Amino acid sequence: MKINNNFLIKMRLFCVILIGGIKMHAEVIAVGTEMLLGEITDTNSQVISEGLADLGINVFYHNLVGDNESRMAEVIRLAASRSDLVVISGGLGPTPDDLTKQVVARYLGRDLIVDEKAMTKIKDFFARRERDMTPNNKVQAMYIDGAVSLQNEVGLAVGNYYHDEQGTDFLLLPGLPHEMKSMFETKAKPLLAQQYKGQQVLNSRLLRFFGIGESNLVTKLSDLIEKQKNPTIAPYAKENEVTLRLTASGSSDVDDQELLDELEAKIQKRVGQYLYGHGENNSLPSVVVNKLRKRGLTLSASESLTGGSFQAAITAIPGASNVFPGGFVTYAAEQKEQLLHIDPKLIEQYGVVSEETAGAMAEQTRQIIKTDYAVSFTGAAGPDPLEGQSAGTVWIGLAGKDMPTRAKLYHFPYDRQRVRSSAVMTGFGLLNDVLG
Amino acid sequence: MKINNNFLIKMRLFCVILIGGIKMHAEVIAVGTEMLLGEITDTNSQVISEGLADLGINVFYHNLVGDNESRMAEVIRLAASRSDLVVISGGLGPTPDDLTKQVVARYLGRDLIVDEKAMTKIKDFFARRERDMTPNNKVQAMYIDGAVSLQNEVGLAVGNYYHDEQGTDFLLLPGLPHEMKSMFETKAKPLLAQQYKGQQVLNSRLLRFFGIGESNLVTKLSDLIEKQKNPTIAPYAKENEVTLRLTASGSSDVDDQELLDELEAKIQKRVGQYLYGHGENNSLPSVVVNKLRKRGLTLSASESLTGGSFQAAITAIPGASNVFPGGFVTYAAEQKEQLLHIDPKLIEQYGVVSEETAGAMAEQTRQIIKTDYAVSFTGAAGPDPLEGQSAGTVWIGLAGKDMPTRAKLYHFPYDRQRVRSSAVMTGFGLLNDVLG
């Protein structure tokens, strides 16, 4: 499968190879018949692979097998024969076809023993709900003798980490994505880091960029990426943004933060103008909404081609009501005139997809809703052209107190949905630049 | 991994077992290093599994391997040793690490030969762009001697279907999801149906339901599902809707359509009030927009908790401009008063989250924008309550010509995002009911 160009893939492989201390080979297994039937997509294996790559652990294979004892045993035997670490998600739940722990225990010739802390939690859970606990439910609190039991902070089934100096290590995680993710991040990754990275402490920092493509970003940082050892740099391209994950491995958290600060400063110098935030939960809309909120500023909008998606993105963020009182969806030209009181002559003269209309939309919206800023969107989302303007042509207007109203022209060479989402993110990008 | 209850899984397995003629065991392989690094999720294997399930072909394993010749060969050998059909996506592209065809050809002891039609297409492609064609690009037009070359209607690399009466069959598909999907649906599935279903012709029909949960739907149809042979019934739960895929296997298309009509009539009788449409591309918003368009009717909206997402869903559909002139996002109470001219006393008396406010919002919106219908949304999206109303409480208003304005109360027991998306879909559901 070719999604990115080869250079990027090589850069990434290079990161994974450089980061490693001891050279581990890991393998990922997902368990669940409903995925073999194509009912749902296995997303766990991707999340696990990304986390293992952060730790410098190579992944050579993914496998997916149903809730079938003999086929599961066969896949586990094969994985153990060719990998140093086998990470399995799924099959830890309370139903009779949840068999992962049992199958791995049998492969290892070990018993399952009870984690009393987890058992108490399960008993409490059923007592509070006044429901009877079936024997199957107890299995959720059991773990393989000799393994570390991993507490499940968002569910009932414990995970397992089994280390064998001579043989293969096993990490067993729940199948529900949010349980898996929570246990992997908070319980398993620190253990893996400790086991495979010696006494080193691992710390990551996610940098988020908007307005620059992945190839361009990687090119501007190519010498840093080629020279990288500690911290490492892993670029990821997402729709409408690029992220860099920096991972430092030092003798303490303080050491790591110093290493990360130093590298971030170098990156800032070269591409700082595109860096808008840090961390998984800080999307560009939430960064903008939080900046506005902290400064007591307000925002409104009027949307034509984006049809409400910009305002939907603002209001998706809890607490948006402090910042955003409301706005307009002025899809038809007459509504730009009726709701925003734009002079019909202006639209007639310049057209709806124009600098003048975008500017007037933003200006009028700000006046009517009485906010500090207002953003406007007008353009041709496609598939058809609009007023002779090709699909993907978008004007974004921005009005604000103490600044002249402006409008910028964009051409997004994508399909309808992506033209709209790119326009929305670009609107947030413009606001973020103005807010500084 | 347990997402649905066991009953549903068993029903589904039951469907897959019943549908089959010859009992095939298939295995799916995805190829691509970037997926092992966790950069992207493999979605192809899910799509392929779903399609194979439709054909009554059991899938026992998924595998994912990088662009590495020896590991790829090992995975292919193993798959061929335990499965009747091996479906591989990825590694058909023009770069040196695209090796799938070469590795399978070597396993089979066959040469690669040129598909002249595909080669002409590639040459034209480069000639039109005035770019030089590298030798690697030619490999995209090559296929395994003895296989059927599958034309790629949305890309350049051909697929391969290799059938061996005595041994294992191979289906090779491109890795890019849209190329894979197009080739699988239009080229590969008919071949597989012909090969494994004898002279039978296979036809599927997708029924889409809103307003009923999967367990409830399956329970109401349990005898039909248990008795099913031809057509088969496969239920799938998605966010905010449930679908049933009916698949008939008869001696002709006409036969199949008769079988499907007969079964659909039975389903209609029991749960027809929830059935809103047919086919992959007919989402509830597009069904509603198309009904309005065909009847020359128009729609507007005012949104509080949904913050523009309802209008964004309307305008996501090409041609929405015939139906939707515009609307309001009245997030703050004052904007409900200012933009919609709702009497402040009404809001003061009943609150913003009330039948009265929802009704007034819909009514005023319809008056101002002058449309046949108007929908309004007001409620508490969460995480916090609003005016003492718990998160998930939503009033949806509907005003229309020749009907009294109405508002309905809902409680969506979900998180903020899902409360909003459920409210939006429910708004479309209400409109669909009114439009009949």
Side-chain angles (χ1 to χ4, degrees), chain B residues 376-413:
Chain B
S376 68
F377 300 85
T378 178
D384 302 317
L386 183 60
E387 293 184 349
Q389 308 271 3
S390 62
T393 305
V394 178
W395 281 95
I396 304 181
L398 177 59
K401 56 170 190 184
D402 312 327
M403 62 170 260
T405 296
R406 60 183 80 167
K408 273 186 83 172
L409 175 64
Y410 299 88
H411 294 283
F412 301 113

Side-chain angles (χ1 to χ4, degrees), chain A residues 1-4 6 9 12-13 16 30-47 49-50 53 58-67 71 74-75 78 82 89-98 175-177 214 235-237 303-321 324-335 338-339 367-370 382-383 416-417 420, chain B residues 1-4 6 9 12-13 16 30-47 49-50 53 58-67 71 74-75 78 82 89-98 175-177 214 235-237 303-321 324-335 338-339 367-370 382-383 416-417 420:
Chain A
M1 206 192 256
K2 288 273 95 40
I3 295 236
N4 290 284
N6 262 347
I9 304 247
R12 265 178 227 118
L13 267 174
V16 168
V31 178
T33 300
E34 66 280 23
M35 294 181 288
L36 286 181
L37 290 171
E39 199 200 329
I40 55 169
T41 300
D42 164 35
T43 54
N44 285 346
S45 299
Q46 180 263 320
V47 173
S49 282
E50 192 174 350
N58 277 332
V59 176
F60 280 167
Y61 307 94
H62 286 186
N63 313 262
L64 199 158
V65 65
D67 303 296
R71 283 192 286 276
E74 176 208 314
V75 168
L78 173 68
R82 63 188 179 187
S89 71
L92 302 187
T95 70
D97 55 357
D98 286 309
L176 286 172
E214 189 186 17
Y236 291 95
E303 302 182 58
S304 188
L305 85 150
T306 49
S309 353
F310 179 78
Q311 295 169 84
I314 297 172
T315 55
I317 296 154
S321 54
F324 175 78
F328 304 91
V329 182
T330 52
Y331 211 54
E334 310 83 68
Q335 297 306 324
Q338 193 206 177
L339 303 181
Q367 299 278 346
I368 297 168
I369 314 271
K370 300 180 192 69
R416 182 177 176 92
Q417 300 312 337
R420 287 162 41 108
Chain B
M1 207 191 257
K2 286 276 96 37
I3 295 237
N4 291 284
N6 262 345
I9 304 248
R12 265 177 228 119
L13 266 174
V16 169
V31 178
T33 300
E34 66 280 24
M35 293 181 288
L36 286 181
L37 290 171
E39 199 201 329
I40 55 169
T41 300
D42 163 36
T43 54
N44 285 346
S45 299
Q46 180 263 320
V47 173
S49 282
E50 193 174 350
N58 276 332
V59 176
F60 280 166
Y61 307 93
H62 287 186
N63 313 262
L64 199 159
V65 64
D67 303 297
R71 282 192 287 276
E74 176 209 313
V75 168
L78 173 68
R82 63 187 179 186
S89 70
L92 302 186
T95 69
D97 56 357
D98 285 309
L176 285 172
E214 189 186 17
Y236 291 94
E303 302 182 60
S304 188
L305 85 150
T306 49
S309 352
F310 179 78
Q311 296 169 83
I314 298 172
T315 55
I317 296 155
S321 55
F324 175 77
F328 303 92
V329 182
T330 53
Y331 210 55
E334 310 83 68
Q335 297 306 324
Q338 196 206 179
L339 303 181
Q367 298 278 348
I368 297 169
I369 314 269
K370 299 179 193 69
R416 183 178 175 91
Q417 299 312 337
R420 287 161 42 106

Side-chain angles (χ1 to χ4, degrees), chain B residues 17 27 77 178 233 284 368 414:
Chain B
I17 290 160
E27 171 151 3
R77 253 195 324 271
H178 71 286
I233 310 175
L284 185 53
I368 297 169
Y414 309 124

Side-chain angles (χ1 to χ4, degrees), chain B residues 57 68 129 153 215 233 309 326 333 370 395 400:
Chain B
I57 298 173
N68 172 289
R129 279 162 188 72
E153 287 175 1
S215 337
I233 310 175
S309 352
K370 299 179 193 69
W395 281 95

Side-chain angles (χ1 to χ4, degrees), chain B residues 74-349:
Chain B
E74 176 209 313
V75 168
I76 286 167
R77 253 195 324 271
L78 173 68
S81 74
R82 63 187 179 186
S83 297
D84 307 308
L85 168 67
V86 179
V87 183
I88 310 177
S89 70
L92 302 186
T95 69
D97 56 357
D98 285 309
L99 293 168
T100 303
K101 254 181 323 208
Q102 293 87 324
V103 172
V104 175
R106 198 166 315 132
Y107 170 80
L108 294 169
R110 297 250 166 190
D111 289 331
L112 290 178
I113 56 179
V114 172
D115 176 333
E116 290 300 344
K117 189 174 159 196
M119 187 62 87
T120 305
K121 187 174 156 188
I122 294 176
K123 282 182 181 158
D124 286 356
F125 177 90
F126 281 92
R128 268 203 315 276
R129 279 162 188 72
E130 294 176 354
R131 275 166 48 196
D132 286 335
M133 188 169 80
T134 65
N136 273 327
N137 277 296
K138 291 188 188 161
V139 182
Q140 294 189 96
M142 299 185 82
Y143 66 105
I144 298 167
D145 192 10
V148 180
S149 176
L150 308 176
Q151 299 303 309
N152 188 334
E153 287 175 1
V154 291
L156 295 178
V158 300
N160 283 236
Y161 173 62
Y162 181 87
H163 174 64
D164 178 352
E165 209 58 60
Q166 313 305 322
T168 301
D169 297 348
F170 284 90
L171 172 62
L172 275 46
L173 299 167
L176 285 172
H178 71 286
E179 293 187 17
M180 188 288 295
K181 210 168 174 178
S182 158
M183 189 183 288
F184 184 57
E185 284 299 326
T186 64
K187 304 285 186 286
K189 272 178 89 174
L191 273 178
L192 296 178
Q194 197 184 15
Q195 194 65 57
Y196 307 126
K197 304 283 289 186
Q199 291 312 303
Q200 297 301 88
V201 180
L202 221 66
N203 275 290
S204 281
R205 185 180 295 177
L206 189 77
L207 309 187
R208 303 180 70 147
F209 297 85
F210 180 75
I212 184 168
E214 189 186 17
S215 337
N216 201 353
L217 183 75
V218 168
T219 304
K220 283 184 198 296
L221 304 175
S222 61
D223 58 317
L224 293 179
I225 294 176
E226 275 165 38
K227 278 193 317 205
Q228 67 172 333
K229 273 220 164 112
N230 184 21
T232 55
I233 310 175
Y236 291 94
K238 312 198 170 164
E239 191 174 309
N240 291 321
E241 75 170 304
V242 187
T243 65
L244 288 182
R245 184 181 297 278
L246 317 184
T247 306
S249 167
S251 55
S252 69
D253 286 339
V254 175
D255 268 13
D256 284 355
Q257 294 307 330
E258 265 176 32
L259 288 167
L260 292 170
D261 287 346
E262 204 179 298
L263 177 59
E264 184 178 338
K266 285 185 196 156
I267 293 170
Q268 276 274 11
K269 224 180 209 169
R270 301 202 196 167
V271 288
Q273 70 268 43
Y274 306 107
L275 175 66
Y276 75 79
H278 296 80
E280 288 293 348
N281 298 319
N282 290 306
S283 66
L284 185 53
S286 72
V287 165
V288 168
V289 166
N290 287 327
K291 276 186 188 174
L292 291 166
R293 184 162 52 181
K294 276 184 196 145
R295 301 178 200 174
L297 297 169
T298 55
L299 171 67
S300 54
S302 51
E303 302 182 60
S304 188
L305 85 150
T306 49
S309 352
F310 179 78
Q311 296 169 83
I314 298 172
T315 55
I317 296 155
S321 55
N322 298 303
V323 164
F324 175 77
F328 303 92
V329 182
T330 53
Y331 210 55
E334 310 83 68
Q335 297 306 324
K336 295 177 181 74
E337 296 161 16
Q338 196 206 179
L339 303 181
L340 303 177
H341 317 305
I342 294 177
D343 187 347
K345 282 185 206 133
L346 181 137
I347 294 180
E348 204 178 308
Q349 183 176 354

